[in-house]
Short mmCIF file of all heavy atoms in Angstrom, two decimals:
data_model
loop_
_atom_site.label_atom_id
_atom_site.label_comp_id
_atom_site.label_asym_id
_atom_site.label_seq_id
_atom_site.Cartn_x
_atom_site.Cartn_y
_atom_site.Cartn_z
N TYR A 264 169.05 82.86 36.44
CA TYR A 264 167.83 82.30 35.93
C TYR A 264 168.03 80.85 35.45
O TYR A 264 167.26 79.94 35.78
CB TYR A 264 167.31 83.14 34.78
CG TYR A 264 165.99 82.71 34.15
CD1 TYR A 264 164.81 82.84 34.88
CD2 TYR A 264 165.98 82.01 32.98
CE1 TYR A 264 163.58 82.39 34.32
CE2 TYR A 264 164.82 81.59 32.41
CZ TYR A 264 163.62 81.74 33.06
OH TYR A 264 162.46 81.31 32.51
N TYR A 265 169.05 80.66 34.64
CA TYR A 265 169.32 79.30 34.16
C TYR A 265 170.38 78.63 35.06
O TYR A 265 170.30 77.43 35.28
CB TYR A 265 169.90 79.35 32.73
CG TYR A 265 168.88 79.68 31.66
CD1 TYR A 265 169.01 80.73 30.83
CD2 TYR A 265 167.83 78.82 31.43
CE1 TYR A 265 168.10 80.99 29.83
CE2 TYR A 265 166.88 79.01 30.48
CZ TYR A 265 167.05 80.15 29.63
OH TYR A 265 166.09 80.41 28.64
N SER A 266 171.37 79.35 35.43
CA SER A 266 172.53 78.73 36.14
C SER A 266 173.23 79.76 36.99
O SER A 266 173.34 80.91 36.55
CB SER A 266 173.47 78.09 35.13
OG SER A 266 174.73 77.73 35.74
N THR A 267 173.84 79.35 38.09
CA THR A 267 174.65 80.25 38.88
C THR A 267 176.02 80.42 38.17
O THR A 267 176.83 81.26 38.63
CB THR A 267 174.88 79.70 40.27
OG1 THR A 267 175.44 78.35 40.18
CG2 THR A 267 173.58 79.64 41.02
N GLN A 268 176.30 79.70 37.14
CA GLN A 268 177.51 79.78 36.41
C GLN A 268 177.28 80.08 34.93
O GLN A 268 177.98 79.58 34.01
CB GLN A 268 178.39 78.53 36.57
CG GLN A 268 178.68 78.16 37.96
CD GLN A 268 179.54 76.90 38.04
OE1 GLN A 268 180.71 76.88 37.68
NE2 GLN A 268 178.97 75.87 38.60
N PHE A 269 176.29 80.86 34.66
CA PHE A 269 175.91 81.17 33.26
C PHE A 269 177.03 81.87 32.51
O PHE A 269 177.14 81.77 31.27
CB PHE A 269 174.66 82.01 33.27
CG PHE A 269 174.06 82.18 31.88
CD1 PHE A 269 173.41 81.15 31.21
CD2 PHE A 269 174.15 83.41 31.23
CE1 PHE A 269 172.94 81.33 29.94
CE2 PHE A 269 173.58 83.59 29.94
CZ PHE A 269 173.01 82.55 29.32
N HIS A 270 177.91 82.55 33.24
CA HIS A 270 178.98 83.25 32.59
C HIS A 270 179.93 82.31 31.80
O HIS A 270 180.55 82.68 30.86
CB HIS A 270 179.81 84.07 33.58
CG HIS A 270 180.42 83.21 34.67
ND1 HIS A 270 179.70 82.69 35.72
CD2 HIS A 270 181.73 82.85 34.91
CE1 HIS A 270 180.53 82.01 36.52
NE2 HIS A 270 181.74 82.09 36.01
N LEU A 271 179.95 81.03 32.21
CA LEU A 271 180.78 80.04 31.52
C LEU A 271 180.18 79.72 30.13
O LEU A 271 180.89 79.47 29.18
CB LEU A 271 180.99 78.78 32.32
CG LEU A 271 181.70 78.92 33.61
CD1 LEU A 271 181.88 77.58 34.34
CD2 LEU A 271 183.03 79.56 33.41
N PHE A 272 178.90 79.79 30.06
CA PHE A 272 178.21 79.58 28.73
C PHE A 272 178.44 80.82 27.88
O PHE A 272 178.49 80.73 26.64
CB PHE A 272 176.71 79.33 28.91
CG PHE A 272 176.42 77.95 29.46
CD1 PHE A 272 176.28 77.75 30.86
CD2 PHE A 272 176.33 76.83 28.65
CE1 PHE A 272 176.02 76.49 31.36
CE2 PHE A 272 176.08 75.56 29.16
CZ PHE A 272 175.90 75.41 30.53
N VAL A 273 178.54 82.01 28.51
CA VAL A 273 178.86 83.21 27.76
C VAL A 273 180.29 83.08 27.21
O VAL A 273 180.55 83.41 26.02
CB VAL A 273 178.72 84.46 28.65
CG1 VAL A 273 179.23 85.69 27.90
CG2 VAL A 273 177.29 84.62 29.10
N ALA A 274 181.25 82.61 28.02
CA ALA A 274 182.60 82.39 27.53
C ALA A 274 182.61 81.42 26.39
O ALA A 274 183.27 81.63 25.35
CB ALA A 274 183.44 81.89 28.65
N LEU A 275 181.85 80.32 26.47
CA LEU A 275 181.73 79.35 25.43
C LEU A 275 181.15 79.95 24.16
O LEU A 275 181.58 79.70 23.01
CB LEU A 275 180.91 78.15 25.85
CG LEU A 275 180.73 77.00 24.82
CD1 LEU A 275 182.09 76.45 24.41
CD2 LEU A 275 179.84 75.92 25.40
N ALA A 276 180.13 80.82 24.36
CA ALA A 276 179.48 81.50 23.21
C ALA A 276 180.49 82.37 22.42
O ALA A 276 180.45 82.42 21.24
CB ALA A 276 178.31 82.32 23.70
N VAL A 277 181.37 83.10 23.19
CA VAL A 277 182.36 83.94 22.55
C VAL A 277 183.33 83.05 21.69
O VAL A 277 183.62 83.36 20.53
CB VAL A 277 183.12 84.75 23.57
CG1 VAL A 277 184.29 85.50 22.86
CG2 VAL A 277 182.23 85.73 24.28
N LEU A 278 183.75 81.92 22.31
CA LEU A 278 184.65 81.02 21.55
C LEU A 278 183.96 80.48 20.29
O LEU A 278 184.60 80.37 19.25
CB LEU A 278 185.11 79.92 22.43
CG LEU A 278 186.00 80.28 23.63
CD1 LEU A 278 186.30 79.10 24.46
CD2 LEU A 278 187.30 80.96 23.12
N GLU A 279 182.70 80.09 20.45
CA GLU A 279 181.91 79.53 19.32
C GLU A 279 181.78 80.56 18.18
O GLU A 279 181.78 80.20 17.05
CB GLU A 279 180.61 79.04 19.75
CG GLU A 279 180.64 77.72 20.65
CD GLU A 279 181.24 76.57 19.84
OE1 GLU A 279 180.67 76.26 18.80
OE2 GLU A 279 182.25 75.99 20.31
N SER A 280 181.62 81.81 18.62
CA SER A 280 181.44 82.85 17.60
C SER A 280 182.69 83.04 16.77
O SER A 280 182.57 83.57 15.62
CB SER A 280 181.09 84.19 18.30
OG SER A 280 179.85 84.16 18.95
N HIS A 281 183.81 82.64 17.30
CA HIS A 281 185.07 82.86 16.56
C HIS A 281 185.74 81.53 16.23
O HIS A 281 186.97 81.53 15.91
CB HIS A 281 185.99 83.74 17.40
CG HIS A 281 185.44 85.13 17.64
ND1 HIS A 281 185.77 86.17 16.79
CD2 HIS A 281 184.61 85.62 18.59
CE1 HIS A 281 185.14 87.26 17.24
NE2 HIS A 281 184.47 86.94 18.36
N ARG A 282 185.02 80.45 16.29
CA ARG A 282 185.66 79.12 16.13
C ARG A 282 186.24 78.91 14.78
O ARG A 282 187.31 78.31 14.58
CB ARG A 282 184.66 77.98 16.44
CG ARG A 282 183.60 77.78 15.34
CD ARG A 282 182.61 76.69 15.78
NE ARG A 282 183.18 75.43 16.09
CZ ARG A 282 183.46 74.50 15.21
NH1 ARG A 282 183.28 74.74 13.91
NH2 ARG A 282 184.00 73.34 15.57
N ASP A 283 185.63 79.49 13.69
CA ASP A 283 186.15 79.32 12.37
C ASP A 283 187.53 79.95 12.21
O ASP A 283 188.44 79.36 11.60
CB ASP A 283 185.17 79.89 11.32
CG ASP A 283 183.90 79.13 11.21
OD1 ASP A 283 183.90 77.93 11.67
OD2 ASP A 283 182.91 79.62 10.70
N VAL A 284 187.69 81.17 12.73
CA VAL A 284 188.99 81.82 12.66
C VAL A 284 189.96 81.04 13.48
O VAL A 284 191.15 80.83 13.08
CB VAL A 284 188.87 83.27 13.20
CG1 VAL A 284 190.25 83.94 13.36
CG2 VAL A 284 187.99 84.09 12.29
N ILE A 285 189.58 80.59 14.70
CA ILE A 285 190.49 79.85 15.58
C ILE A 285 190.97 78.57 14.92
O ILE A 285 192.17 78.27 14.88
CB ILE A 285 189.86 79.57 16.92
CG1 ILE A 285 189.56 80.90 17.66
CG2 ILE A 285 190.69 78.65 17.76
CD1 ILE A 285 188.73 80.74 18.94
N LEU A 286 190.01 77.83 14.35
CA LEU A 286 190.39 76.55 13.73
C LEU A 286 191.23 76.69 12.54
O LEU A 286 192.13 75.93 12.25
CB LEU A 286 189.07 75.77 13.38
CG LEU A 286 188.26 75.23 14.55
CD1 LEU A 286 186.97 74.64 14.07
CD2 LEU A 286 189.04 74.19 15.36
N ARG A 287 191.01 77.73 11.77
CA ARG A 287 191.69 77.89 10.46
C ARG A 287 193.07 78.57 10.59
O ARG A 287 194.00 78.19 9.91
CB ARG A 287 190.83 78.75 9.54
CG ARG A 287 191.49 78.93 8.13
CD ARG A 287 190.47 79.59 7.17
NE ARG A 287 189.31 78.75 6.95
CZ ARG A 287 188.30 79.03 6.09
NH1 ARG A 287 188.43 80.16 5.35
NH2 ARG A 287 187.29 78.24 5.92
N TYR A 288 193.16 79.58 11.51
CA TYR A 288 194.38 80.41 11.52
C TYR A 288 195.21 80.39 12.78
O TYR A 288 196.44 80.72 12.72
CB TYR A 288 193.97 81.86 11.22
CG TYR A 288 193.27 82.04 9.92
CD1 TYR A 288 191.92 82.40 9.91
CD2 TYR A 288 193.93 81.90 8.70
CE1 TYR A 288 191.27 82.60 8.66
CE2 TYR A 288 193.32 82.08 7.48
CZ TYR A 288 191.96 82.44 7.52
OH TYR A 288 191.27 82.64 6.30
N LEU A 289 194.65 79.98 13.91
CA LEU A 289 195.37 80.06 15.19
C LEU A 289 195.86 78.66 15.61
O LEU A 289 195.05 77.88 16.05
CB LEU A 289 194.50 80.70 16.24
CG LEU A 289 193.77 81.99 15.81
CD1 LEU A 289 192.97 82.57 16.93
CD2 LEU A 289 194.84 83.03 15.35
N VAL A 290 197.14 78.43 15.46
CA VAL A 290 197.67 77.11 15.75
C VAL A 290 198.60 77.04 16.96
O VAL A 290 199.04 75.97 17.36
CB VAL A 290 198.39 76.56 14.51
CG1 VAL A 290 197.43 76.41 13.32
CG2 VAL A 290 199.57 77.43 14.15
N GLU A 291 198.87 78.21 17.57
CA GLU A 291 199.71 78.27 18.71
C GLU A 291 198.97 78.96 19.88
O GLU A 291 198.12 79.80 19.63
CB GLU A 291 201.02 79.03 18.43
CG GLU A 291 201.86 78.40 17.31
CD GLU A 291 202.52 77.07 17.79
OE1 GLU A 291 202.60 76.90 18.99
OE2 GLU A 291 203.02 76.34 16.89
N PHE A 292 199.39 78.66 21.10
CA PHE A 292 198.75 79.22 22.23
C PHE A 292 198.82 80.77 22.24
O PHE A 292 197.86 81.50 22.51
CB PHE A 292 199.33 78.72 23.54
CG PHE A 292 198.94 79.46 24.79
CD1 PHE A 292 197.66 79.27 25.32
CD2 PHE A 292 199.74 80.40 25.39
CE1 PHE A 292 197.20 79.94 26.46
CE2 PHE A 292 199.36 81.10 26.53
CZ PHE A 292 198.06 80.86 27.06
N ASP A 293 200.02 81.28 21.93
CA ASP A 293 200.20 82.69 21.96
C ASP A 293 199.30 83.40 20.93
O ASP A 293 198.81 84.59 21.15
CB ASP A 293 201.68 83.10 21.60
CG ASP A 293 202.59 82.69 22.77
OD1 ASP A 293 202.09 82.47 23.86
OD2 ASP A 293 203.83 82.69 22.54
N GLU A 294 199.05 82.77 19.83
CA GLU A 294 198.10 83.35 18.78
C GLU A 294 196.74 83.35 19.30
O GLU A 294 196.00 84.39 19.09
CB GLU A 294 198.21 82.51 17.53
CG GLU A 294 199.58 82.51 16.87
CD GLU A 294 199.69 81.56 15.68
OE1 GLU A 294 198.80 80.62 15.54
OE2 GLU A 294 200.60 81.74 14.84
N VAL A 295 196.30 82.30 19.97
CA VAL A 295 194.95 82.31 20.51
C VAL A 295 194.79 83.33 21.62
O VAL A 295 193.77 84.10 21.69
CB VAL A 295 194.58 80.89 21.11
CG1 VAL A 295 193.17 80.88 21.69
CG2 VAL A 295 194.74 79.85 20.03
N LEU A 296 195.82 83.43 22.47
CA LEU A 296 195.79 84.44 23.55
C LEU A 296 195.66 85.82 23.04
O LEU A 296 194.85 86.63 23.54
CB LEU A 296 197.08 84.27 24.39
CG LEU A 296 197.21 85.29 25.59
CD1 LEU A 296 196.15 85.10 26.61
CD2 LEU A 296 198.61 85.12 26.25
N LYS A 297 196.50 86.19 22.09
CA LYS A 297 196.45 87.58 21.51
C LYS A 297 195.11 87.82 20.84
O LYS A 297 194.52 88.88 21.02
CB LYS A 297 197.56 87.76 20.50
CG LYS A 297 197.63 89.18 19.92
CD LYS A 297 198.74 89.33 18.93
CE LYS A 297 198.84 90.79 18.44
NZ LYS A 297 197.59 91.34 17.92
N TYR A 298 194.62 86.81 20.14
CA TYR A 298 193.36 87.02 19.41
C TYR A 298 192.20 87.28 20.41
O TYR A 298 191.36 88.19 20.21
CB TYR A 298 193.01 85.80 18.61
CG TYR A 298 191.80 85.96 17.74
CD1 TYR A 298 191.78 86.51 16.50
CD2 TYR A 298 190.54 85.39 18.21
CE1 TYR A 298 190.61 86.71 15.75
CE2 TYR A 298 189.43 85.47 17.47
CZ TYR A 298 189.42 86.13 16.22
OH TYR A 298 188.30 86.26 15.49
N CYS A 299 192.14 86.51 21.49
CA CYS A 299 191.05 86.62 22.48
C CYS A 299 191.20 87.93 23.27
O CYS A 299 190.18 88.56 23.53
CB CYS A 299 191.07 85.40 23.38
SG CYS A 299 190.47 83.89 22.60
N ASN A 300 192.43 88.32 23.57
CA ASN A 300 192.59 89.59 24.21
C ASN A 300 192.15 90.77 23.35
O ASN A 300 191.61 91.76 23.86
CB ASN A 300 194.05 89.77 24.60
CG ASN A 300 194.43 89.02 25.85
OD1 ASN A 300 193.61 88.53 26.59
ND2 ASN A 300 195.72 88.78 26.03
N ASP A 301 192.38 90.62 22.07
CA ASP A 301 192.00 91.72 21.14
C ASP A 301 190.47 91.80 20.91
O ASP A 301 190.04 92.74 20.25
CB ASP A 301 192.74 91.54 19.79
CG ASP A 301 194.25 91.83 19.93
OD1 ASP A 301 194.64 92.44 20.92
OD2 ASP A 301 195.00 91.43 19.00
N LEU A 302 189.74 90.81 21.37
CA LEU A 302 188.31 90.87 21.21
C LEU A 302 187.67 91.93 22.12
O LEU A 302 186.51 92.26 21.98
CB LEU A 302 187.72 89.51 21.51
CG LEU A 302 187.99 88.39 20.58
CD1 LEU A 302 187.34 87.08 21.03
CD2 LEU A 302 187.46 88.74 19.16
N SER A 303 188.42 92.45 23.09
CA SER A 303 187.91 93.42 24.04
C SER A 303 187.28 94.56 23.28
O SER A 303 187.76 95.14 22.35
CB SER A 303 189.07 93.94 24.92
OG SER A 303 188.61 94.94 25.75
N MET A 304 186.02 94.91 23.73
CA MET A 304 185.22 96.00 23.19
C MET A 304 184.72 95.76 21.77
O MET A 304 184.18 96.67 21.12
CB MET A 304 186.00 97.31 23.22
CG MET A 304 186.43 97.74 24.60
SD MET A 304 185.01 97.96 25.71
CE MET A 304 185.80 97.88 27.33
N THR A 305 184.81 94.51 21.27
CA THR A 305 184.28 94.18 20.00
C THR A 305 183.14 93.16 20.10
O THR A 305 182.48 92.88 19.10
CB THR A 305 185.35 93.59 19.10
OG1 THR A 305 185.73 92.34 19.55
CG2 THR A 305 186.58 94.55 19.02
N ILE A 306 182.88 92.61 21.28
CA ILE A 306 181.86 91.54 21.46
C ILE A 306 180.52 92.19 21.52
O ILE A 306 180.30 93.09 22.36
CB ILE A 306 182.19 90.73 22.72
CG1 ILE A 306 183.60 90.17 22.60
CG2 ILE A 306 181.15 89.63 22.87
CD1 ILE A 306 184.08 89.49 23.94
#
């Protein structure tokens, strides 16, 4: 309806929903990776 790539805005929305935690506590790639993987079934 809006875009053939709307799923990328969904990905951005997930990141924006957790930006405060990411900015405050996650300072290494491995930390960000684990945190995002652990979001499974919680979104």
Side-chain angles (χ1 to χ4, degrees):
Y264 181 75
Y265 285 121
S266 168
T267 57
Q268 301 182 68
F269 188 71
H270 61 284
L271 296 184
F272 288 93
V273 175
L275 180 60
V277 174
L278 294 177
E279 289 297 304
S280 297
H281 297 269
R282 75 184 302 275
D283 291 342
V284 172
I285 294 172
L286 289 173
R287 181 173 297 185
Y288 300 111
L289 309 181
V290 297
E291 299 289 343
F292 169 76
D293 289 345
E294 295 173 344
V295 180
L296 177 64
K297 183 180 185 306
Y298 183 83
C299 289
N300 283 342
D301 289 346
L302 292 177
S303 177
M304 301 300 162
T305 69
I306 304 171

